């Protein structure tokens, strides 16, 4: 969904190496926030980065739906089963001061880090991000695997859809936990794995023919301007300041 | 079974990164000692992509549905590549779907990747002496179920120990019990699917089960 976001915003054009390092610094400083009073500073920063990213609010809203399912349970548990003095009682549910405090902190930290990551990666192709990781010193085994995975995940997704369609046409229906259902799922997974294995052999031979493993003289190195470096120093300084505020 | 951002203290998330980096370094170090370490990269990458997609398959479990984790099967088929493969998969999930987290990437790597390596070991032990269909299936079941069981245990421990100080004692115990019980069907399901998959692969491409 974030692929639709324009890559011309200030944040999208920022050198991806600085962007990844700054994102990690900010994410860890957000996760270190332990006082309610610091939340407004965190949200203020988020607004600044949202303005710099040019990501439409509607897209952000849609992207937040799925991850919200995971955190909702934790927030509810903290809210209604927290320790401390009772603030409010609704039927059999009680909200305590400490529970409310903790739930607010967890929710603020979770959504802030999630939104921040979306804003930072919006408009940056995945392959650029992987190249930046490589430039930051990530071992070649990991970056090569990530590049190939990014390249072939769509191809294999199509294979999986075809497999599912074929099984459906032959009358297979995934219903409950019957042995037939499990066998069907296992067969689908096994076939997908075998197809990917066969394809990987062809991919490897093709890559060797194109000089895989030799020095790469075709890909231009990533370059950054002094202004981008200065912006990075400022953002890391802000992250440290936020971590100090706690 | 992914710990999201914002729940754990920084000391725990940073420790997760350190432990994860250590395990990844050990795996990569062993891989680089092979004759041609690049030879296995496309196989590991494409199988990782296939696992990434297979984990999106939802199996109905009324009133909800469960999706497969498959970290045990990943360990069986990829061996030492399983840990970096899981780190890459978790990174993709965090970036593409917001599933898991950035600060919790390390701890999630340990929760899912550590048991994958254990599954590889369990499977190789189970098939050490005789390679036949029944032994392969049993070794596959043990590898698949033990990996998910250990992951669920680690996940529950991480979540409950870090939330315990903020929860009432009765809720803390109930939460731990509920988390473990909720994962019990998944342990059996993963074991069964892993056993069926390795039996099928053992019949058609047995060399793939070397790890």
């Amino acid at each position: 969904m974030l692929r639709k976001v324009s890559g011309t915003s200030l944040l999208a054009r920022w050198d991806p190496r600085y962007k990844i390092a700054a994102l990690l610094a900010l994410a860890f400083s957000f996760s270190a926030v332990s006082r309610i009073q610091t939340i407004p500073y965190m949200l203020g920063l988020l607004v600044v980065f949202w303005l710099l990213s040019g990501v439409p609010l509607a897209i952000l809203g849609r992207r937040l739906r799925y991850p919200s399912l995971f955190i909702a349970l934790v927030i509810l548990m903290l809210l209604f089963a927290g320790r401390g003095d009772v603030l409010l009682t609704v039927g059999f549910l009680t909200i305590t001061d400490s529970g409310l405090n903790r739930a607010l902190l967890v929710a603020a930290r979770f959504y802030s880090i999630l939104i921040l990551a979306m804003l930072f990666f919006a408009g940056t192709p995945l392959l650029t991000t992987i190249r930046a990781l490589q430039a930051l010193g990530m071992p070649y085994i990991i970056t090569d695997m990530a590049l190939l995975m990014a390249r072939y995940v769509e191809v294999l997704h199509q294979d999986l859809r075809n497999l599912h369609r074929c099984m459906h046409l032959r009358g297979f229906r995934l219903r409950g936990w019957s042995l037939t259902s499990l066998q069907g799922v296992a067969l689908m997974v096994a076939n997908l794995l075998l197809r990917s294995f066969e394809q990987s052999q062809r991919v490897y031979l093709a890559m060797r023919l194109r000089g895989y493993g030799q020095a790469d003289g075709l890909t231009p190195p990533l370059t950054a301007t002094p202004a981008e470096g200065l912006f990075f120093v400022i953002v890391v300084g802000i992250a440290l300041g936020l971590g100090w505020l706690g | 079974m992914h710990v999201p951002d914002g729940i754990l203290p920084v000391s725990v998330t940073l420790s997760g990164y350190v432990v994860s980096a250590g395990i990844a370094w050990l795996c990569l170090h062993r891989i680089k000692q092979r004759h041609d370490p690049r030879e296995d990269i496309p196989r590991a990458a494409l199988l990782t992509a296939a696992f990434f997609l297979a984990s999106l398959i939802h199996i109905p479990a009324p009133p909800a549905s469960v999706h497969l984790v498959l970290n045990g099967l990943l360990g069986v088929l990829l061996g030492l590549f399983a840990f970096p493969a899981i780190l890459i998969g978790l990174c993709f999930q965090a970036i593409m779907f917001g599933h898991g987290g950035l600060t919790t990437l390390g701890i999630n790597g340990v929760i899912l990747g550590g048991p994958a390596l254990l599954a590889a070991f369990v499977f190789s032990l189970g098939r050490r002496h005789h390679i036949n269909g029944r032994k392969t299936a049993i070794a596959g079941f043990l590898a698949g179920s033990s990996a998910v069981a250990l992951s669920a245990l680690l996940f529950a421990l991480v979540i409950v120990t870090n939330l315990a100080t903020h929860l009432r004692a009765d809720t803390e115990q109930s939460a731990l019990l509920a988390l473990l019980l909720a994962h019990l069907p998944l342990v059996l399901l993963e074991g069964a699917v892993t056993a069926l998959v390795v039996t099928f692969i053992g019949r058609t491409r047995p060399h793939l089960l070397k790890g």
Side-chain angles (χ1 to χ4, degrees):
Chain A
M1 209 183 284
L2 290 179
R3 280 182 201 161
K4 293 174 191 166
V5 175
S6 156
T8 57
S9 70
L10 269 175
L11 209 53
R13 281 186 283 124
W14 195 16
D15 186 286
R17 293 167 298 174
Y18 286 140
K19 201 154 52 173
I20 292 170
L23 172 63
L24 283 175
L26 281 169
F28 275 103
S29 74
F30 281 10
S31 72
V33 168
S34 56
R35 296 187 315 136
I36 294 285
Q37 293 89 329
T38 314
I39 293 178
Y41 296 108
M42 196 162 67
L43 298 181
L45 261 179
L46 213 55
V47 172
V48 171
F49 283 113
W50 171 64
L51 291 172
L52 290 176
S53 75
V55 176
L57 270 182
I59 289 185
L60 273 186
R62 279 203 297 273
R63 289 265 303 178
L64 287 177
R65 269 186 226 154
Y66 179 64
S68 296
L69 295 173
F70 294 95
I71 202 71
L73 192 69
V74 175
I75 293 172
L76 286 175
M77 203 164 74
L78 284 168
L79 195 60
F80 294 115
R83 292 179 180 177
D85 300 327
V86 176
L87 281 180
L88 186 70
T89 305
V90 186
F92 63 93
L93 297 172
T94 53
I95 297 176
T96 61
D97 56 349
S98 163
L100 180 65
N101 192 47
R102 192 74 198 161
L104 278 174
L105 275 172
V106 167
R109 290 193 304 228
F110 171 78
Y111 282 110
S112 299
I113 297 171
L114 185 66
I115 294 170
L116 192 74
M118 286 178 194
L119 299 178
F120 269 61
F121 286 120
T124 308
L126 194 57
L127 297 184
T128 309
T129 305
I130 297 169
R131 271 190 63 209
L133 285 172
Q134 198 166 21
L136 286 170
M138 187 69 78
Y140 74 88
I141 293 177
I142 291 187
T143 51
D144 284 2
M145 277 175 71
L147 279 168
L148 280 167
M149 188 182 161
R151 165 72 183 81
Y152 284 97
V153 78
E154 212 36 66
V155 178
L156 291 173
H157 195 199
Q158 188 56 46
D159 280 352
L160 182 64
R161 275 196 291 257
N162 290 342
L163 275 169
H164 194 260
R165 199 171 297 133
C166 288
M167 290 173 75
H168 192 82
L169 286 172
R170 286 178 197 153
F172 173 74
R173 300 286 184 276
L174 199 54
R175 286 196 197 102
W177 290 32
S178 66
L179 187 62
T180 320
S181 272
L182 289 187
Q183 276 175 331
V185 169
L187 204 62
M188 199 152 59
V189 172
N191 269 303
L192 185 70
L193 293 173
L194 291 184
R195 279 173 189 226
S196 66
F197 172 69
E198 281 161 7
Q199 191 154 15
S200 74
Q201 289 179 311
R202 293 193 294 271
V203 168
Y204 178 67
L205 290 175
M207 284 166 65
R208 288 303 283 207
L209 284 172
R210 286 176 194 158
Y212 175 58
Q214 310 302 313
D216 181 9
L218 298 174
T219 318
L222 294 165
T223 51
T225 61
E228 287 177 295
L230 181 66
F231 186 50
F232 171 72
V233 172
I234 293 169
V235 173
V236 172
I238 291 170
L240 288 173
L242 201 69
W244 177 75
L245 276 176
Chain B
M1 223 180 285
H2 295 47
V3 182
D5 282 315
I7 292 183
L8 304 179
V10 179
S11 55
V12 177
T13 51
L14 282 176
S15 307
Y17 263 86
V18 171
V19 175
S20 224
I23 299 174
W25 182 86
L26 276 175
C27 291
L28 296 179
H29 179 68
R30 293 280 304 274
I31 290 167
K32 282 177 183 169
Q33 285 176 336
R34 293 178 181 178
H35 170 64
D36 182 5
R38 290 184 192 266
E39 189 179 351
D40 289 326
I41 291 176
R43 180 175 76 105
L46 267 72
L47 284 173
T48 307
F51 277 107
F52 182 72
L53 293 168
S55 67
L56 300 177
I57 299 172
H58 281 77
I59 298 174
S65 66
V66 292
H67 73 90
L68 298 166
V69 181
L70 295 176
N71 57 340
L73 186 58
L74 194 79
V76 169
L77 290 181
L78 292 186
L80 288 169
F81 275 101
F83 197 83
I86 282 175
L87 284 182
I88 295 167
L90 286 170
C91 197
F92 273 47
Q93 284 179 334
I95 294 173
M96 291 164 74
F97 307 118
H99 190 181
L102 280 181
T103 59
T104 53
L105 194 61
I107 200 93
N108 283 330
V110 175
I111 288 173
L112 292 167
L117 294 176
L118 174 87
F121 179 68
V122 168
F123 189 74
S124 64
L125 273 186
R127 297 179 82 238
R128 180 173 278 180
H129 301 298
H130 301 285
I131 302 173
N132 61 38
R134 182 181 284 189
K135 284 218 167 190
T136 302
I138 293 170
F141 181 86
L142 289 175
S145 54
S146 63
V148 175
L150 185 60
S151 290
L153 193 66
L154 288 172
F155 174 75
L157 279 176
V158 166
I159 290 286
V160 175
T161 51
N162 285 286
L163 290 180
T165 48
H166 309 285
L167 294 175
R168 291 195 295 265
D170 57 331
T171 314
E172 177 199 331
Q173 285 168 1
S174 311
L176 183 62
L177 194 67
L179 265 174
L180 290 175
L181 284 178
H183 283 101
L184 197 60
L186 187 64
V187 170
L188 299 173
L189 180 71
E190 287 271 340
V193 171
T194 306
L196 289 164
V197 172
V198 294
T199 307
F200 181 81
I201 292 178
R203 278 203 306 262
T204 50
R205 302 279 195 287
H207 60 283
L208 262 178
L209 296 179
K210 283 186 304 182

